[in-house]
Amino acid sequence: MDSLSDAVAWMAWTWQTVLFFAALAACLAGLTALAVYRPETPHVGVLGFATTRGDRFFVSLLLSAFIFVGFIRFGGQDFTWPGLAALAATALMFRFA
Amino acid sequence: MDSRVWDNRAWLFVVPVMAFVLFSSLIPMMTVVNYSFQDSMGQNSFFWNGPGWFQNLLDPTTAVGARFQGALLRNFAFSFTVLAIEIPLGIAVALCIPKSGWRVGAVLVAIALPLLIPYNVVGTIWQLFSRTDIGLLGVALGRSGVPFNVTQNAGSAWAVIVLMDVWHWTSMVALLCYAGLKAIPDAYYQAARIDGANRWSVFRNIELPKLRKVLVIAMLLRFMGSFMIYTEPFTVTGGGPGEDTSFLSIDLVKMALGQVDLGNAAAYSLVYNLITLTVCWMFFTYTTHADSKDVA
């Protein structure tokens, strides 16, 4: 991790943020590959309008961000809980949206 | 049978744009994310600060947290005030625009004029207009005994900024509503005449329901415009008196460029961005799904 940190330090990057954005890019690449090789039909769920996998992924990201912001706003310290809540929200989103 | 070959290679034409957006927008935004997790002592040397800036920002008992909460509440108050005035006024103006004849063009051009003026010019016009020494509005109010001073009185500053936004943007709401009204087929009005409906029930039962889509679009556009407003209030009040008209973008620019408080400003802009991104997503979703049958 130290060599990665050194390689990205000139633009104030850190290995944590590199991993985060790399995971995000991997998810987008995975969704693109799925869209090409396993095309889907959008379906209407709890959100009330037709969603694709991409929509559900984006809403999950937004929800997760709000979960973390809300958790910090009310003084939470242990980030395991909002992390688990974000994962649960994502799972619910992909199942019911 | 469809004999066309399935070929998506045309998407490759998008690659240069993607590369440019990555270079000009996405990577700089990622750098903001990096700033939000680190502290710096200058000399471009950074050290890890974890969620510290976010905890600072979202805790209203800290100085930065109080600033953020104040600016956020002020900004919501401003956006809702502006919407509460511009949407009904825009509908009213649209109902008064003639439907045919030479007057249509003349009225539409006159209404569109404020939309063509650059933001900083609008701000300068209203700044001069409201001055108590040489401005027509300021002098007129002063001589008639109304306590009015944009630089000292928060009420005056708010009144001028709200009035300025209404002057600048009601036209857009009116033009959108006018387009919506023009799209209502005449058969609806004929049916209303046969039923002997009065003007109010025509508006309530035909025009307003038919305007629903353009009104949602107008509301989202005006919310975004007023939530991200910077130039106009900055030109008129500079965020003052005190902090009374410091909206999010004004406060953020002060923090990031004035005080070079990178960590706090980065966390600030990310939370701000989260709100605008959510509204943008609602706007995009509504405009792409509103016409399709997939809305439940």
Side-chain angles (χ1 to χ4, degrees):
Chain A
M1 287 303 173
D2 282 348
S3 58
L4 183 60
S5 294
D6 291 342
V8 294
W10 68 274
M11 232 170 87
W13 279 80
T14 62
W15 64 264
Q16 291 93 335
T17 38
V18 170
L19 284 187
F20 173 74
F21 282 114
L24 207 55
C27 287
L28 291 178
L31 284 169
T32 308
L34 268 178
V36 172
Y37 296 109
R38 292 269 187 282
E40 59 170 337
T41 322
H43 66 85
V44 182
V46 287
L47 293 178
F49 56 85
T51 54
T52 61
R53 283 181 289 243
D55 292 325
R56 276 168 246 147
F57 180 65
F58 186 75
V59 176
S60 305
L61 286 179
L62 277 184
L63 266 179
S64 307
F66 278 108
I67 288 171
F68 275 97
V69 165
F71 182 77
I72 296 174
R73 170 66 183 78
F74 293 104
Q77 295 292 330
D78 183 359
F79 285 87
T80 321
W81 297 111
L84 289 175
L87 284 176
T90 306
L92 289 174
M93 214 65 223
F94 271 84
R95 175 67 189 77
F96 294 109
Chain B
M1 266 302 279
D2 191 349
S3 60
R4 282 174 300 177
V5 178
W6 180 252
D7 187 348
N8 266 335
R9 273 181 297 177
W11 280 104
L12 290 176
F13 286 122
V14 182
V15 169
V17 174
M18 294 289 283
F20 183 74
V21 170
L22 191 70
F23 188 74
S24 71
S25 307
L26 293 179
I27 293 178
M29 209 196 82
M30 291 174 187
T31 305
V32 175
V33 175
N34 286 306
Y35 287 156
S36 74
F37 287 105
Q38 295 176 93
D39 200 354
S40 173
M41 295 291 179
Q43 308 293 332
N44 208 27
S45 72
F46 289 88
F47 49 91
W48 183 251
N49 191 32
W53 296 124
F54 289 93
Q55 284 165 336
N56 203 26
L57 180 81
L58 295 167
D59 179 358
T61 57
T62 65
V64 171
R67 260 175 83 171
F68 176 67
Q69 181 172 289
L72 186 67
L73 293 177
R74 271 194 294 279
N75 220 146
F76 274 123
F78 175 70
S79 291
F80 287 119
T81 309
V82 156
L83 279 176
I85 299 173
E86 287 175 15
I87 298 292
L89 192 59
I91 297 172
V93 170
L95 288 170
C96 298
I97 301 175
K99 293 276 192 299
S100 58
W102 63 272
R103 288 178 304 166
V104 177
V107 170
L108 290 184
V109 168
I111 282 183
L113 280 178
L115 301 174
L116 304 176
I117 303 176
Y119 292 44
N120 54 348
V121 178
V122 172
T124 310
I125 290 172
W126 282 83
Q127 202 266 339
L128 292 173
F129 188 46
S130 59
R131 275 177 65 156
T132 46
D133 51 353
I134 57 167
L136 186 58
L137 178 70
V139 171
L141 284 174
R143 295 223 176 132
S144 53
V146 179
F148 177 85
N149 191 325
V150 171
T151 55
Q152 285 166 19
N153 180 327
S156 305
W158 268 77
V160 167
I161 286 177
V162 168
L163 202 61
M164 173 172 66
D165 202 79
V166 169
W167 177 82
H168 195 182
W169 290 110
T170 304
S171 305
M172 190 199 70
V173 180
L175 291 176
L176 279 170
C177 290
Y178 181 69
L181 286 172
K182 287 277 279 187
I184 301 175
D186 207 35
Y188 285 88
Y189 293 107
Q190 290 163 4
R193 271 200 297 277
I194 290 168
D195 289 344
N198 61 20
R199 186 70 191 85
W200 169 252
S201 39
V202 169
F203 174 70
R204 178 70 193 79
N205 298 310
I206 297 175
E207 290 172 333
L208 204 54
K210 286 282 175 192
L211 284 179
R212 198 176 65 104
K213 282 173 194 167
V214 288
L215 283 178
V216 172
I217 289 170
M219 274 198 258
L220 287 167
L221 279 176
R222 277 321 299 138
F223 178 80
M224 291 303 280
S226 58
F227 198 67
M228 300 196 295
I229 197 165
Y230 177 77
T231 315
E232 298 167 52
F234 184 76
T235 315
V236 176
T237 66
E243 295 281 300
D244 286 325
T245 54
S246 277
F247 300 128
L248 287 168
S249 58
I250 293 178
D251 198 35
L252 179 58
V253 168
K254 264 186 213 164
M255 194 182 284
L257 304 180
Q259 299 158 228
V260 203
D261 191 353
L262 287 185
N264 277 317
Y268 197 131
S269 57
L270 287 176
V271 177
Y272 186 9
N273 190 39
L274 180 63
I275 301 171
T276 51
L277 193 62
T278 308
V279 180
C280 274
W281 172 80
M282 285 161 61
F283 182 68
F284 172 78
T285 307
Y286 188 81
T287 49
T288 48
H289 291 277
D291 288 326
S292 56
K293 292 193 183 67
D294 56 26
V295 180

